[in-house]
Amino acid sequence: MRIAMLSLHTSPMQQPGSGDAGGMNVYIQNLSFALGALGHEVHMITRTAAESQSLQVGEGVWMHEVQVAANQSLSKEQLPEIIGPAVLAVSAHLQGLKFDIIHAHYWLSGMAGLELAELWSVPLLVSMHTSASAKEHESGIPEPGNRKQAEKQLLLECARIIANTPVEAKQLARFYQVESTKLDVVLPGVNHRIFHPDQDKLRRPLGEDDLHLVYAGRMQPLKGAHLLLNAMGAARRSHPDLRITASLFGASSGSADYDLKSMANEQNLGDVVRFYDPLEPTKLALVFANADIVAVPSLSETFGLVAAEAQACGTPVLANAVGGLAYAVNDGKSGWLMPEADASLWAQKLVELAQNPDAVTTAGHGALEHSGLFTWERAAVATLASYRIAQSEVQS
Amino acid sequence: MRIAMLSLHTSPMQQPGSGDAGGMNVYIQNLSFALGALGHEVHMITRTAAESQSLQVGEGVWMHEVQVAANQSLSKEQLPEIIGPAVLAVSAHLQGLKFDIIHAHYWLSGMAGLELAELWSVPLLVSMHTSASAKEHESGIPEPGNRKQAEKQLLLECARIIANTPVEAKQLARFYQVESTKLDVVLPGVNHRIFHPDQDKLRRPLGEDDLHLVYAGRMQPLKGAHLLLNAMGAARRSHPDLRITASLFGASSGSADYDLKSMANEQNLGDVVRFYDPLEPTKLALVFANADIVAVPSLSETFGLVAAEAQACGTPVLANAVGGLAYAVNDGKSGWLMPEADASLWAQKLVELAQNPDAVTTAGHGALEHSGLFTWERAAVATLASYRIAQSEVQS
């Protein structure tokens, strides 16, 4: 199959962490390379303010940077204005290439995809990654009405939709009245070449301990780091003989209302908790592999990629049984899912695990094995199944 | 990790179908390449009668052909005699390489592996693939006692065992009294670059039909092709208006007692059934992709690789709910599992499917998606988890 992989607002080849590049870039890049490795031809298409250029970047994978709005640095808010010019520029730049399907990522590419699908007479498949209504629902902050309206039109008119998790699929069905027969779920993969257990040994940053926890994520209430600190405080009060330590990696929210360092001091954890800046993937993998447990105390999570990455390093995960984490963690085998986001429940589990190092080691092996499910090849094969349904529906 | 992948009795790089080369070669080769792609160093080791040579055959993967019993062509029965010389030759040829684990395939390599594990002080992990007691149990034909005894010693003394399916694990536990905590199950993968739905269109070999079935496998009672023919006969008698056709690929057993062509004629299926010789994988993929359904009527099956390969071509599978097939097929989603190997049950299902082409198409997409689970990367990650348990047990 020849696939047009549309990612106008950010280049899939950009490193995450810089500018608007994040998890979606990782997703599109890995998916494209996995499709290429299966013998398909993938053309990633993005917008550039510089000269247009096309490069082969891997086996069967091309990157087309197409000049739209030359020499202009556009904000995210200005991008909707260039959808029309982008459609013209992309179709001119790729003239002569006949595609079998368009796979558009994020609503902006989706809108351009609708026009290209008509121009090229091919089905359009959309991965939203995030949607305005779901964001609004989770944060309580209203999103622009025109974006919500555009998303609704897009989801109605496209041939098919891939959600990253069952949770995302339910949200799209609920907030945009998408028929469930139009939705497929393809769980993302993990790059097992970066996240693996064969890492150098680190000295424990907090000295000898019974259990060393790692947390990695933004420092905001929804991610639940406060739950972890409260649980550690309670565990220490009930079992002062056990030394449970934690390293927390992530950017501080900067909000005075959510001051984790003060919380740690209030819980009398100053000597067993350290705070660090976010880490790049290769270093994070090193930290994960050297932890006893990676804690993912999120109160809500569409998938929980951190949980999958930690397990790929052979480290079990302690998390709440919410959202996608119920799929990311195999309860009792590759980690533990707490039925409630409750600090005393968490404290009890921390004590139990600190007293049972063998159970933690066994779960580490289970974690590595479970992470084998999260491969990009599996994701690519499942994505191909979705492409094919889209094609057969257009034909019939 | 640096892994010694021991396959003395047949070279993993040999094409299956020639000599003793079969599914096990495919397994070892694909697993080694997947481990290499994950950043590990894999040394496949086999015996040659010619000069020793070492070649890098892929990313992180080496093939060592080590001369043992020079210029002698040995039968399978003579191979046990060269275990001792093979250990000496292998350790001399690989001098200087320090391995983290030995993974031996088939009992002959296992026996050599026991000695090499002691020589190198590394844990030995064994994949049996087939065992004498299980073969004996299934065929009713006694296997040599010395092989059974050697296998028992091997399974007792090795650090850990990988079974290909839960069925194989149960057999090893039952026939050799292996403790279940020593056994891991790693389902095999499918080469999705060969088995994929994007194949040329073939003209239907039997003309217009309502349902075209394909069977691929040896023509012997355990594989159940007679069940398929009986079911087709019954379906034709109850619904003479429906045209259900079948192409059967496989070597005839040559036994007068199991004459499928006569059975087809007795069932009045001469015009709707064709018999062919076995096909090589790329051609088989073409045939699978063009079938409506691949029938796997086996009465017993450890995994049922054919079912996984068919699904990877986007074709649903009709099979009995026996052995590994219950894992290979997702009942109702990627195909259908019959609760009993009963011709009238099968006939009823064939009629239902011939009358419901949409259900067959939908299951085809489900089949492709389900086959995404069977990747060699997943198998490699799960195998690594097993290596790590073996290592941690030796250390502790």
Short mmCIF file of all heavy atoms in Angstrom, two decimals, chain B residues 282-334:
data_model
loop_
_atom_site.label_atom_id
_atom_site.label_comp_id
_atom_site.label_asym_id
_atom_site.label_seq_id
_atom_site.Cartn_x
_atom_site.Cartn_y
_atom_site.Cartn_z
N THR B 282 5.92 -17.79 0.00
CA THR B 282 5.42 -16.61 -0.73
C THR B 282 4.20 -16.97 -1.59
O THR B 282 3.28 -16.15 -1.73
CB THR B 282 6.51 -16.00 -1.64
OG1 THR B 282 7.09 -17.06 -2.40
CG2 THR B 282 7.59 -15.32 -0.81
N LYS B 283 4.19 -18.17 -2.15
CA LYS B 283 3.05 -18.57 -2.97
C LYS B 283 1.86 -18.94 -2.09
O LYS B 283 0.71 -18.68 -2.45
CB LYS B 283 3.44 -19.75 -3.87
CG LYS B 283 4.36 -19.30 -4.98
CD LYS B 283 4.68 -20.42 -5.95
CE LYS B 283 5.67 -19.92 -7.01
NZ LYS B 283 6.44 -21.04 -7.56
N LEU B 284 2.15 -19.53 -0.95
CA LEU B 284 1.08 -19.89 -0.01
C LEU B 284 0.37 -18.61 0.46
O LEU B 284 -0.87 -18.56 0.57
CB LEU B 284 1.67 -20.64 1.18
CG LEU B 284 0.67 -21.33 2.10
CD1 LEU B 284 -0.13 -22.39 1.36
CD2 LEU B 284 1.38 -21.97 3.30
N ALA B 285 1.15 -17.55 0.69
CA ALA B 285 0.57 -16.27 1.13
C ALA B 285 -0.41 -15.75 0.08
O ALA B 285 -1.48 -15.23 0.41
CB ALA B 285 1.68 -15.26 1.40
N LEU B 286 -0.03 -15.90 -1.19
CA LEU B 286 -0.88 -15.47 -2.30
C LEU B 286 -2.21 -16.24 -2.28
O LEU B 286 -3.30 -15.66 -2.45
CB LEU B 286 -0.11 -15.75 -3.60
CG LEU B 286 -0.69 -15.36 -4.94
CD1 LEU B 286 -0.82 -13.86 -5.05
CD2 LEU B 286 0.21 -15.88 -6.08
N VAL B 287 -2.12 -17.54 -2.08
CA VAL B 287 -3.31 -18.39 -2.05
C VAL B 287 -4.18 -18.05 -0.82
O VAL B 287 -5.41 -17.94 -0.94
CB VAL B 287 -2.88 -19.88 -2.03
CG1 VAL B 287 -4.05 -20.78 -1.66
CG2 VAL B 287 -2.33 -20.28 -3.39
N PHE B 288 -3.54 -17.86 0.32
CA PHE B 288 -4.29 -17.50 1.54
C PHE B 288 -5.05 -16.19 1.34
O PHE B 288 -6.22 -16.06 1.69
CB PHE B 288 -3.34 -17.34 2.73
CG PHE B 288 -2.89 -18.64 3.35
CD1 PHE B 288 -1.83 -18.66 4.26
CD2 PHE B 288 -3.52 -19.84 3.06
CE1 PHE B 288 -1.41 -19.84 4.84
CE2 PHE B 288 -3.10 -21.05 3.64
CZ PHE B 288 -2.05 -21.03 4.53
N ALA B 289 -4.35 -15.18 0.79
CA ALA B 289 -4.96 -13.86 0.65
C ALA B 289 -6.16 -13.90 -0.28
O ALA B 289 -7.08 -13.08 -0.16
CB ALA B 289 -3.92 -12.85 0.14
N ASN B 290 -6.17 -14.86 -1.20
CA ASN B 290 -7.27 -14.94 -2.17
C ASN B 290 -8.38 -15.89 -1.76
O ASN B 290 -9.39 -15.99 -2.46
CB ASN B 290 -6.71 -15.34 -3.54
CG ASN B 290 -6.12 -14.14 -4.27
OD1 ASN B 290 -6.84 -13.35 -4.83
ND2 ASN B 290 -4.80 -13.99 -4.19
N ALA B 291 -8.22 -16.58 -0.63
CA ALA B 291 -9.27 -17.47 -0.14
C ALA B 291 -10.29 -16.65 0.64
O ALA B 291 -9.99 -15.58 1.17
CB ALA B 291 -8.66 -18.53 0.76
N ASP B 292 -11.53 -17.16 0.72
CA ASP B 292 -12.50 -16.55 1.63
C ASP B 292 -12.19 -16.95 3.07
O ASP B 292 -12.26 -16.15 3.99
CB ASP B 292 -13.92 -16.99 1.27
CG ASP B 292 -14.37 -16.42 -0.06
OD1 ASP B 292 -14.08 -15.24 -0.32
OD2 ASP B 292 -14.98 -17.17 -0.86
N ILE B 293 -11.86 -18.22 3.23
CA ILE B 293 -11.61 -18.79 4.56
C ILE B 293 -10.50 -19.83 4.44
O ILE B 293 -10.47 -20.59 3.47
CB ILE B 293 -12.88 -19.46 5.12
CG1 ILE B 293 -13.90 -18.39 5.55
CG2 ILE B 293 -12.58 -20.40 6.29
CD1 ILE B 293 -15.26 -18.95 5.90
N VAL B 294 -9.60 -19.85 5.42
CA VAL B 294 -8.65 -20.95 5.50
C VAL B 294 -9.16 -21.92 6.57
O VAL B 294 -9.43 -21.51 7.71
CB VAL B 294 -7.22 -20.46 5.82
CG1 VAL B 294 -6.29 -21.64 6.13
CG2 VAL B 294 -6.66 -19.67 4.64
N ALA B 295 -9.35 -23.18 6.18
CA ALA B 295 -9.85 -24.19 7.12
C ALA B 295 -8.68 -24.91 7.76
O ALA B 295 -7.75 -25.33 7.08
CB ALA B 295 -10.73 -25.20 6.37
N VAL B 296 -8.70 -25.01 9.10
CA VAL B 296 -7.67 -25.75 9.84
C VAL B 296 -8.40 -26.79 10.69
O VAL B 296 -8.60 -26.61 11.88
CB VAL B 296 -6.82 -24.80 10.72
CG1 VAL B 296 -5.66 -25.56 11.37
CG2 VAL B 296 -6.26 -23.64 9.90
N PRO B 297 -8.82 -27.90 10.04
CA PRO B 297 -9.67 -28.87 10.73
C PRO B 297 -8.91 -29.84 11.64
O PRO B 297 -9.47 -30.87 12.02
CB PRO B 297 -10.35 -29.61 9.57
CG PRO B 297 -9.38 -29.50 8.43
CD PRO B 297 -8.60 -28.24 8.63
N SER B 298 -7.65 -29.51 12.01
CA SER B 298 -6.82 -30.41 12.82
C SER B 298 -7.55 -30.89 14.07
O SER B 298 -8.28 -30.14 14.70
CB SER B 298 -5.54 -29.69 13.26
OG SER B 298 -4.81 -29.26 12.16
N LEU B 299 -7.30 -32.16 14.41
CA LEU B 299 -7.89 -32.73 15.62
C LEU B 299 -7.01 -32.44 16.83
O LEU B 299 -7.41 -32.61 17.97
CB LEU B 299 -8.07 -34.24 15.44
CG LEU B 299 -8.80 -34.64 14.13
CD1 LEU B 299 -8.92 -36.15 14.04
CD2 LEU B 299 -10.16 -33.96 14.05
N SER B 300 -5.78 -32.02 16.57
CA SER B 300 -4.82 -31.68 17.62
C SER B 300 -3.79 -30.76 16.98
O SER B 300 -3.45 -30.94 15.82
CB SER B 300 -4.16 -32.95 18.15
OG SER B 300 -2.88 -32.67 18.67
N GLU B 301 -3.31 -29.78 17.73
CA GLU B 301 -2.35 -28.82 17.14
C GLU B 301 -1.67 -28.12 18.31
O GLU B 301 -2.35 -27.57 19.18
CB GLU B 301 -3.13 -27.83 16.28
CG GLU B 301 -2.31 -27.06 15.26
CD GLU B 301 -1.86 -27.91 14.06
OE1 GLU B 301 -2.72 -28.36 13.27
OE2 GLU B 301 -0.66 -28.11 13.94
N THR B 302 -0.33 -28.14 18.34
CA THR B 302 0.33 -27.43 19.45
C THR B 302 0.11 -25.92 19.34
O THR B 302 -0.27 -25.28 20.31
CB THR B 302 1.85 -27.72 19.54
OG1 THR B 302 2.30 -28.17 18.28
CG2 THR B 302 2.17 -28.71 20.60
N PHE B 303 0.34 -25.34 18.17
CA PHE B 303 0.02 -23.92 18.02
C PHE B 303 -0.91 -23.72 16.83
O PHE B 303 -2.00 -23.18 16.96
CB PHE B 303 1.29 -23.08 17.86
CG PHE B 303 1.01 -21.62 17.60
CD1 PHE B 303 0.29 -20.87 18.50
CD2 PHE B 303 1.47 -21.01 16.43
CE1 PHE B 303 0.01 -19.52 18.25
CE2 PHE B 303 1.20 -19.67 16.18
CZ PHE B 303 0.47 -18.93 17.09
N GLY B 304 -0.50 -24.17 15.67
CA GLY B 304 -1.30 -23.92 14.48
C GLY B 304 -0.80 -22.71 13.72
O GLY B 304 -1.52 -21.74 13.51
N LEU B 305 0.49 -22.76 13.31
CA LEU B 305 1.11 -21.64 12.63
C LEU B 305 0.34 -21.26 11.37
O LEU B 305 0.21 -20.07 11.04
CB LEU B 305 2.57 -21.98 12.28
CG LEU B 305 3.44 -20.80 11.88
CD1 LEU B 305 3.49 -19.76 12.98
CD2 LEU B 305 4.86 -21.25 11.55
N VAL B 306 -0.21 -22.26 10.66
CA VAL B 306 -0.99 -21.99 9.44
C VAL B 306 -2.12 -21.01 9.75
O VAL B 306 -2.40 -20.10 8.96
CB VAL B 306 -1.56 -23.30 8.86
CG1 VAL B 306 -2.63 -23.03 7.83
CG2 VAL B 306 -0.44 -24.13 8.24
N ALA B 307 -2.76 -21.17 10.89
CA ALA B 307 -3.87 -20.27 11.26
C ALA B 307 -3.36 -18.84 11.43
O ALA B 307 -4.00 -17.88 10.98
CB ALA B 307 -4.53 -20.77 12.54
N ALA B 308 -2.21 -18.69 12.06
CA ALA B 308 -1.65 -17.35 12.26
C ALA B 308 -1.24 -16.74 10.91
O ALA B 308 -1.48 -15.56 10.66
CB ALA B 308 -0.46 -17.41 13.21
N GLU B 309 -0.65 -17.56 10.04
CA GLU B 309 -0.21 -17.06 8.73
C GLU B 309 -1.40 -16.65 7.87
O GLU B 309 -1.36 -15.63 7.18
CB GLU B 309 0.62 -18.15 8.02
CG GLU B 309 1.99 -18.37 8.67
CD GLU B 309 2.74 -19.59 8.13
OE1 GLU B 309 2.12 -20.45 7.47
OE2 GLU B 309 3.95 -19.67 8.39
N ALA B 310 -2.47 -17.46 7.91
CA ALA B 310 -3.67 -17.13 7.13
C ALA B 310 -4.24 -15.79 7.58
O ALA B 310 -4.57 -14.92 6.76
CB ALA B 310 -4.72 -18.23 7.30
N GLN B 311 -4.33 -15.61 8.89
CA GLN B 311 -4.88 -14.36 9.43
C GLN B 311 -4.01 -13.16 9.05
O GLN B 311 -4.52 -12.07 8.81
CB GLN B 311 -5.04 -14.46 10.94
CG GLN B 311 -6.11 -15.46 11.34
CD GLN B 311 -6.15 -15.72 12.83
OE1 GLN B 311 -6.88 -15.07 13.56
NE2 GLN B 311 -5.34 -16.65 13.29
N ALA B 312 -2.69 -13.36 9.01
CA ALA B 312 -1.79 -12.27 8.63
C ALA B 312 -2.03 -11.85 7.18
O ALA B 312 -1.68 -10.73 6.79
CB ALA B 312 -0.34 -12.69 8.84
N CYS B 313 -2.65 -12.74 6.39
CA CYS B 313 -3.01 -12.41 5.01
C CYS B 313 -4.42 -11.80 4.94
O CYS B 313 -4.96 -11.61 3.85
CB CYS B 313 -2.95 -13.64 4.12
SG CYS B 313 -1.29 -14.31 3.97
N GLY B 314 -5.02 -11.53 6.09
CA GLY B 314 -6.34 -10.92 6.12
C GLY B 314 -7.46 -11.92 5.85
O GLY B 314 -8.56 -11.53 5.45
N THR B 315 -7.21 -13.21 6.08
CA THR B 315 -8.21 -14.24 5.82
C THR B 315 -8.61 -14.92 7.13
O THR B 315 -7.74 -15.38 7.87
CB THR B 315 -7.64 -15.28 4.83
OG1 THR B 315 -7.22 -14.59 3.65
CG2 THR B 315 -8.69 -16.31 4.45
N PRO B 316 -9.92 -14.99 7.40
CA PRO B 316 -10.36 -15.63 8.65
C PRO B 316 -10.17 -17.13 8.61
O PRO B 316 -10.07 -17.73 7.54
CB PRO B 316 -11.85 -15.26 8.74
CG PRO B 316 -12.28 -14.95 7.35
CD PRO B 316 -11.06 -14.46 6.62
N VAL B 317 -10.15 -17.74 9.80
CA VAL B 317 -9.85 -19.16 9.93
C VAL B 317 -11.03 -19.89 10.56
O VAL B 317 -11.62 -19.41 11.52
CB VAL B 317 -8.57 -19.36 10.80
CG1 VAL B 317 -8.37 -20.81 11.17
CG2 VAL B 317 -7.36 -18.81 10.05
N LEU B 318 -11.35 -21.05 9.99
CA LEU B 318 -12.34 -21.95 10.59
C LEU B 318 -11.58 -23.15 11.14
O LEU B 318 -10.84 -23.81 10.39
CB LEU B 318 -13.36 -22.38 9.53
CG LEU B 318 -14.49 -23.31 9.98
CD1 LEU B 318 -15.34 -22.69 11.08
CD2 LEU B 318 -15.37 -23.69 8.79
N ALA B 319 -11.72 -23.39 12.45
CA ALA B 319 -10.90 -24.43 13.08
C ALA B 319 -11.65 -25.07 14.25
O ALA B 319 -12.69 -24.56 14.67
CB ALA B 319 -9.59 -23.83 13.58
N ASN B 320 -11.11 -26.16 14.75
CA ASN B 320 -11.63 -26.74 15.98
C ASN B 320 -11.00 -26.06 17.18
O ASN B 320 -9.84 -25.64 17.13
CB ASN B 320 -11.32 -28.24 16.02
CG ASN B 320 -12.08 -29.01 14.96
OD1 ASN B 320 -13.29 -28.84 14.83
ND2 ASN B 320 -11.37 -29.83 14.20
N ALA B 321 -11.76 -25.97 18.27
CA ALA B 321 -11.25 -25.34 19.50
C ALA B 321 -10.36 -26.32 20.24
O ALA B 321 -10.69 -26.74 21.35
CB ALA B 321 -12.41 -24.87 20.37
N VAL B 322 -9.23 -26.69 19.62
CA VAL B 322 -8.33 -27.66 20.27
C VAL B 322 -6.92 -27.07 20.38
O VAL B 322 -6.49 -26.29 19.54
CB VAL B 322 -8.24 -28.99 19.47
CG1 VAL B 322 -9.56 -29.73 19.52
CG2 VAL B 322 -7.81 -28.74 18.03
N GLY B 323 -6.22 -27.46 21.44
CA GLY B 323 -4.81 -27.11 21.63
C GLY B 323 -4.54 -25.63 21.43
O GLY B 323 -5.28 -24.77 21.88
N GLY B 324 -3.44 -25.36 20.72
CA GLY B 324 -3.00 -23.98 20.52
C GLY B 324 -3.91 -23.16 19.62
O GLY B 324 -3.84 -21.93 19.61
N LEU B 325 -4.80 -23.82 18.87
CA LEU B 325 -5.69 -23.07 17.97
C LEU B 325 -6.60 -22.12 18.76
O LEU B 325 -7.00 -21.07 18.25
CB LEU B 325 -6.53 -24.03 17.12
CG LEU B 325 -5.74 -24.72 15.99
CD1 LEU B 325 -6.52 -25.88 15.40
CD2 LEU B 325 -5.38 -23.71 14.91
N ALA B 326 -6.89 -22.49 20.01
CA ALA B 326 -7.71 -21.60 20.85
C ALA B 326 -6.97 -20.29 21.11
O ALA B 326 -7.60 -19.27 21.42
CB ALA B 326 -8.05 -22.29 22.16
N TYR B 327 -5.63 -20.29 20.99
CA TYR B 327 -4.86 -19.05 21.14
C TYR B 327 -4.62 -18.38 19.81
O TYR B 327 -4.52 -17.16 19.71
CB TYR B 327 -3.51 -19.35 21.81
CG TYR B 327 -3.67 -20.00 23.16
CD1 TYR B 327 -3.79 -21.38 23.28
CD2 TYR B 327 -3.77 -19.22 24.31
CE1 TYR B 327 -3.98 -21.98 24.52
CE2 TYR B 327 -3.97 -19.81 25.55
CZ TYR B 327 -4.07 -21.19 25.63
OH TYR B 327 -4.26 -21.77 26.85
N ALA B 328 -4.49 -19.19 18.76
CA ALA B 328 -4.17 -18.64 17.44
C ALA B 328 -5.36 -17.92 16.83
O ALA B 328 -5.19 -16.98 16.06
CB ALA B 328 -3.68 -19.76 16.52
N VAL B 329 -6.59 -18.35 17.16
CA VAL B 329 -7.80 -17.76 16.57
C VAL B 329 -8.61 -17.05 17.65
O VAL B 329 -8.81 -17.59 18.74
CB VAL B 329 -8.66 -18.85 15.88
CG1 VAL B 329 -9.94 -18.24 15.32
CG2 VAL B 329 -7.87 -19.54 14.79
N ASN B 330 -9.06 -15.85 17.36
CA ASN B 330 -9.94 -15.10 18.26
C ASN B 330 -11.39 -15.38 17.85
O ASN B 330 -11.91 -14.76 16.92
CB ASN B 330 -9.59 -13.61 18.15
CG ASN B 330 -10.31 -12.76 19.19
OD1 ASN B 330 -11.09 -13.28 19.99
ND2 ASN B 330 -10.05 -11.47 19.17
N ASP B 331 -12.02 -16.33 18.52
CA ASP B 331 -13.33 -16.87 18.11
C ASP B 331 -14.38 -15.76 17.91
O ASP B 331 -14.63 -14.95 18.80
CB ASP B 331 -13.83 -17.87 19.17
CG ASP B 331 -15.07 -18.62 18.70
OD1 ASP B 331 -15.26 -18.75 17.48
OD2 ASP B 331 -15.85 -19.07 19.56
N GLY B 332 -14.98 -15.75 16.74
CA GLY B 332 -16.03 -14.78 16.43
C GLY B 332 -15.49 -13.46 15.91
O GLY B 332 -16.23 -12.65 15.35
N LYS B 333 -14.19 -13.20 16.09
CA LYS B 333 -13.59 -11.94 15.64
C LYS B 333 -12.66 -12.16 14.44
O LYS B 333 -12.76 -11.46 13.45
CB LYS B 333 -12.76 -11.31 16.78
CG LYS B 333 -13.57 -10.82 17.96
CD LYS B 333 -13.99 -9.38 17.79
CE LYS B 333 -14.89 -8.87 18.90
NZ LYS B 333 -14.25 -8.93 20.22
N SER B 334 -11.76 -13.12 14.58
CA SER B 334 -10.76 -13.33 13.52
C SER B 334 -11.02 -14.66 12.81
O SER B 334 -10.24 -15.06 11.95
CB SER B 334 -9.36 -13.32 14.13
OG SER B 334 -9.08 -14.53 14.81
#
